[in-house]
Amino acid sequence: MDRQHQMALYRRYLDRCNQHWFDELGEFVAENVGGSTEGLANHIAGCHEVVSAFSDYRWSLQHIVLEGAWLAARLWGDGTHTGTFRGLPPTGRKIRIQELVQYRFAHGKEAECWGDLHTTVRNQLLSA
């Protein structure tokens, strides 16, 4: 996959995430995706977990680096804590976190995804 196609695919993936249309992520993520979570169903469940606790959550791409099959992204994540997240009851707080994530693409889809979203969000909530 060339760089332009890889970037366009990732931007469409982020667009679906920001629309909270996680059930459509199979277009971008391999069924057997590996990394921080294993499998497409777990990948989707992790996204649902975030927006069930932060109903207005959005990802904003700040920086992207491409090298071969790998894409690294630095994102800002913003949302209001309106539901339980990893055992932490809603606080009504607005959070802003920096997320770092790396993807490996194969056959036109994310084959690996290594990110720190859930840990970073939980740490932000505990730091108040």
Side-chain angles (χ1 to χ4, degrees):
M1 175 183 334
D2 68 36
R3 292 172 60 88
Q4 295 293 13
H5 181 74
Q6 196 173 6
M7 284 184 68
L9 182 75
Y10 186 67
R11 289 182 190 280
R12 286 196 320 271
Y13 165 82
L14 277 183
D15 183 55
R16 294 302 188 290
C17 288
N18 281 326
Q19 293 177 48
H20 300 177
W21 294 351
F22 305 121
D23 295 333
E24 294 183 12
L25 294 184
E27 178 184 343
F28 311 98
V29 181
E31 186 69 36
N32 62 345
V33 63
S36 302
T37 57
E38 297 292 323
L40 176 59
N42 290 328
H43 186 87
I44 290 171
C47 293
H48 279 296
E49 180 184 16
V50 171
V51 299
S52 68
F54 300 87
S55 58
D56 60 348
Y57 199 86
R58 292 199 42 90
W59 290 265
S60 301
L61 181 62
Q62 299 302 302
H63 195 84
I64 193 167
V65 176
L66 295 166
E67 183 177 307
W70 288 90
L71 181 151
R74 183 175 63 84
L75 306 133
W76 283 115
D78 296 279
T80 308
H81 188 206
T82 57
T84 300
F85 184 77
R86 303 245 162 149
L88 299 171
T91 62
R93 285 182 49 217
K94 291 191 178 292
I95 66 162
R96 177 167 236 210
I97 59 111
Q98 178 176 250
E99 179 185 1
L100 303 172
V101 62
Q102 291 186 341
Y103 304 89
R104 183 180 61 81
F105 288 84
H107 310 290
K109 292 189 176 188
E110 295 172 14
E112 290 181 54
C113 175
W114 298 94
D116 59 358
L117 174 63
H118 291 91
T119 303
T120 304
V121 169
R122 183 170 168 76
N123 290 347
Q124 176 74 24
L125 290 172
L126 291 172
S127 70

